[in-house]
Amino acid sequence: PKGQGQSEPALPAAAEDHQVDELQGRRVHAWVLVLAGKRMLEASLFLEPTTGSSYSLSSAPYRTIESVWNTSNYWVNLQGPLPPAELSYDLAAPAKWEGLLAESESEL
């Protein structure tokens, strides 16, 4: 019997390969960025909350970063949609990140 919430029948494998994902590049996902110099880390890394996996900036499976935040501020990326490995993570650089909440750089 069919009911609400039941999925459509699966497409043949060949049809799945050619389907266009209309939301490709539009989904937003959150992960944890741990910056180098904190917690005795020599290199910045990403922690994927859904799996617990960690990724270096160069091996991260993410397209770009729109914003970062912590307990004192929220920064918006002004560098454009670059891959994570190509971004500067100097949150005190006003040409690269705009802090929206903190009153001074001492709150980084």
Side-chain angles (χ1 to χ4, degrees):
K2 289 194 172 196
Q4 285 187 328
Q6 197 164 8
S7 62
E8 296 289 324
L11 295 174
E16 288 179 5
D17 291 342
H18 299 294
Q19 268 191 312
V20 174
D21 183 356
E22 294 179 16
L23 297 177
Q24 181 71 30
R26 293 186 185 169
R27 291 180 183 88
V28 176
H29 178 69
W31 52 86
V32 178
L33 169 64
V34 184
L35 295 175
K38 306 272 184 176
R39 296 165 187 83
M40 301 184 321
L41 283 178
E42 294 181 16
S44 297
L45 59 87
F46 291 104
L47 297 173
E48 173 56 52
T50 60
T51 64
S53 298
S54 64
Y55 300 99
S56 68
L57 298 182
S58 61
S59 68
Y62 315 120
R63 291 180 174 269
T64 190
I65 297 175
E66 295 177 359
S67 62
V68 297
W69 65 92
N70 65 14
T71 59
S72 63
N73 207 346
Y74 182 91
W75 292 269
V76 176
N77 175 12
L78 301 177
Q79 301 166 78
L82 298 172
E86 295 178 24
L87 293 171
S88 164
Y89 294 92
D90 179 1
L91 301 177
K96 299 184 184 292
W97 297 93
E98 182 169 358
L100 302 179
L101 304 176
E103 293 181 17
S104 71
E105 289 182 14
S106 65
E107 296 186 39
L108 291 176

